[in-house]
């Protein structure tokens, strides 16, 4: 398998949601890699770490969304989640909002919509794919 940049999964995430038309609004939150690309590889510095990749409103429900892709054959390791994303998830949940990790298993080409509170409440450092069966992302599997 080639190097996992995450960009193909982010593109697929957008494609899946685009099928809902006006029922969804997906806003990309620019991050350091976006700024780096726009400045032709020159670091501009001062770009604050973002709490998530996306802000999504789906059928009237707004939430933060972080897209992750992994080549791990057995589980989704939480080490892939940055400190700013974990902090953003905690703050969003404390404010009464929702936050989801959309995880794309590149091994099986399956998508999971994992609530942040599940990740934040577990004492483990990962969740096995077999434990995540009920969190398969229905939109990705209907596509």
């Amino acid at each position: 398998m080639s190097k996992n940049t995450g960009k193909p999964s982010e593109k697929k995430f957008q494609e899946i949601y685009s099928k809902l038309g006006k029922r969804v609004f997906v806003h990309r939150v620019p991050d350091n890699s976006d700024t780096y690309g726009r400045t032709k590889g020159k670091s501009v510095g001062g770009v604050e770490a973002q709490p998530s990749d996306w802000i999504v409103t789906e059928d009237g429900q707004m939430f933060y969304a972080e897209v992750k892709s992994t080549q791990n054959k057995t589980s989704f390791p939480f080490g892939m989640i940055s400190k700013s994303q974990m902090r953003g998830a905690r703050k969003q949940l404390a404010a009464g909002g929702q936050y989801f990790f959309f995880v794309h298993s590149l091994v099986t080409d399956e998508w999971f919509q994992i609530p942040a509170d599940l990740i934040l409440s577990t004492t483990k450092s990962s969740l096995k794919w077999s434990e995540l069966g009920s969190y398969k992302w229905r939109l990705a599997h209907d596509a």
Side-chain angles (χ1 to χ4, degrees):
M1 229 175 237
S2 60
K3 184 178 185 248
N4 178 17
T5 65
K7 295 300 179 191
S9 293
E10 288 180 0
K11 183 178 178 186
K12 183 70 176 170
F13 175 83
Q14 281 184 295
E15 289 171 3
I16 291 166
Y17 263 128
S18 71
K19 294 175 182 175
L20 293 182
K22 292 180 181 180
R23 292 177 43 208
V24 69
F25 172 58
V26 180
H27 173 73
R28 175 81 165 110
V29 179
D31 62 11
N32 285 327
S33 68
D34 296 321
T35 303
Y36 193 76
R38 281 194 295 260
T39 58
K40 297 185 171 81
K42 295 184 178 122
S43 178
V44 293
V47 178
E48 186 177 330
Q50 300 299 322
S52 67
D53 289 330
W54 313 88
I55 299 172
V56 178
T57 304
E58 178 186 348
D59 291 327
Q61 299 297 311
M62 181 183 273
F63 55 88
Y64 284 32
E66 178 63 30
V67 175
K68 296 292 182 191
S69 58
T70 178
Q71 297 172 336
N72 190 301
K73 292 178 181 170
T74 58
S75 65
F76 170 55
F78 302 157
M80 297 181 68
I81 303 170
S82 73
K83 289 180 182 178
S84 67
Q85 293 158 357
M86 287 296 240
R87 185 172 46 251
R90 282 187 193 95
K91 287 182 174 186
Q92 176 70 347
L93 294 174
Q98 293 181 307
Y99 191 118
F100 294 100
F101 292 92
F102 288 81
V103 181
H104 185 198
S105 168
L106 298 174
V107 175
T108 61
D109 194 28
E110 290 182 295
W111 283 85
F112 300 84
Q113 182 180 359
I114 307 169
D117 57 347
L118 176 65
I119 292 170
L120 292 170
S121 66
T122 187
T123 57
K124 299 186 270 185
S125 60
S126 69
L127 286 170
K128 294 188 182 320
W129 299 124
S130 59
E131 297 173 292
L132 294 170
S134 62
Y135 296 100
K136 285 187 179 178
W137 186 25
R138 65 173 174 77
L139 288 178
H141 296 279
D142 293 344

